[in-house]
Amino acid sequence: MILYEYPCNERVRTLLRVEYLFDRLFFFARGEDAHCHQIAMTTLFDLLDICERADVRTAVLQDMDRHRSALSALREHPGVDGVTLDKLLTEIQAVSAALAGQGRIGQCLRDNEWLASLRGRITVPGGSSPVDMPSYYSWQIKPSDTRVADLRGWIEPLMPLHRAMALILQLLRDAGDARDQMAGQGAYQEMLGGKSFQLLRVWVDPALGVFPEVSANKYVIWVRFSSQDNELKPQPVGRDIAFRLARCNL
């Protein structure tokens, strides 16, 4: 089954974007080819940009505090495993403290003059070519082990954010109630009666050759399935589509 996710607010949307960038960064930083490391560097700067624009650090710390308070309130609730709850609260406290004690995300990377120069050149189409920045080319032709070690050093300051963000998204996803649904003639509608969710998750069989387009507010969830024509343009599907839907909220 292929999983699609739809954020119901901008905070969750930002977290999913940051998660996507971290996944891409880790993948290309593990490679050995210089072209992989070019993408890793670009992604590293994308992470710095999104953290600056959205103040991700503050949002994540606020979410961690809310989750800690909500989970602490379950301590006396019947049927709650106290050992598991305490372990989770300890983990939340640890990752929150690591992020809170770090200061501005990636500040040491911003203070690195060479990285700051490269960050400015990469925004120019072709600006990081050997013609324009020979020092970047010199780095790219170093042994792969050297480049990988450098990348690990530059990624490390971002890891407290990654750990905290990953824990928040794990808690949110685990709170979902996945159920089988049917989209009649390719469309599914569910009235919510004022109840809101933070994240919707849709699973669909890849053999069906369709993808969902999701919209939601506090009144209704809409899931419409489409396929792609020869020019990859979305086309509405007119047949029944079986899928799974999880509504996630904390």
Side-chain angles (χ1 to χ4, degrees):
M1 301 289 277
I2 299 177
L3 170 63
Y4 296 86
E5 294 185 316
Y6 175 80
C8 299
N9 58 57
E10 284 305 309
R11 178 168 294 192
V12 175
R13 183 182 299 277
T14 298
L15 290 179
L16 293 176
R17 286 174 175 170
V18 173
E19 179 187 52
Y20 162 76
L21 290 173
F22 268 117
D23 287 345
R24 191 171 73 179
L25 175 60
F26 295 153
F27 177 84
F28 286 106
R30 288 194 300 267
E32 296 184 357
D33 188 85
H35 293 89
C36 290
H37 295 164
Q38 288 177 355
I39 300 174
M41 293 299 294
T42 302
T43 307
L44 180 69
F45 296 140
D46 286 345
L47 274 168
L48 292 179
D49 287 342
I50 196 172
C51 288
E52 289 173 352
R53 291 198 307 269
D55 194 7
V56 175
R57 175 180 176 273
T58 298
V60 169
L61 286 172
Q62 290 174 347
D63 279 344
M64 297 293 285
D65 190 55
R66 279 195 295 268
H67 295 336
R68 182 168 53 245
S69 298
L71 290 170
S72 296
L74 297 176
R75 192 179 299 279
E76 305 301 327
H77 195 280
V80 173
D81 186 336
V83 174
T84 301
L85 179 60
D86 287 342
K87 182 179 179 181
L88 180 56
L89 287 171
T90 299
E91 184 179 4
I92 290 175
Q93 178 60 35
V95 297
S96 181
L99 181 60
Q102 184 185 43
R104 190 182 183 193
I105 296 295
Q107 185 58 45
C108 61
L109 304 181
R110 297 182 184 89
D111 293 339
N112 184 308
E113 292 185 8
W114 185 77
L115 289 177
S117 175
L118 176 58
R119 185 181 180 186
R121 296 304 307 174
I122 280 181
T123 61
V124 178
S128 60
S129 69
V131 173
D132 293 279
M133 197 167 183
S135 66
Y136 184 38
Y137 179 66
S138 177
W139 178 78
Q140 292 177 69
I141 62 176
K142 288 182 178 181
S144 62
D145 290 346
T146 300
R147 284 184 270 112
V148 169
D150 286 340
L151 284 166
R152 287 174 178 170
W154 296 328
I155 292 171
E156 185 58 33
L158 304 178
M159 290 308 296
L161 173 63
H162 175 261
R163 297 185 186 102
M165 182 208 65
L167 181 56
I168 290 173
L169 289 175
Q170 177 189 333
L171 291 171
L172 181 57
R173 287 162 173 151
D174 289 347
D177 57 338
R179 298 178 184 176
D180 292 328
Q181 307 288 353
M182 181 66 69
Q185 295 185 336
Y188 172 83
Q189 180 182 5
E190 179 180 331
M191 305 305 296
L192 297 179
K195 185 175 182 180
S196 61
F197 295 95
Q198 294 175 283
L199 177 69
L200 301 177
R201 312 182 80 202
V202 176
W203 291 265
V204 62
D205 187 341
L208 297 175
V210 300
F211 62 92
E213 295 179 303
V214 183
S215 60
N217 53 43
K218 64 181 179 180
Y219 303 109
V220 63
I221 294 172
W222 273 102
V223 182
R224 303 174 182 85
F225 286 92
S226 300
S227 59
Q228 292 177 301
D229 60 18
N230 292 335
E231 297 181 351
L232 303 183
K233 182 179 179 180
Q235 300 291 336
V237 171
R239 65 184 190 276
D240 294 351
I241 300 294
F243 68 102
R244 288 179 65 81
L245 173 67
R247 312 156 193 83
C248 305
N249 200 34
L250 283 174

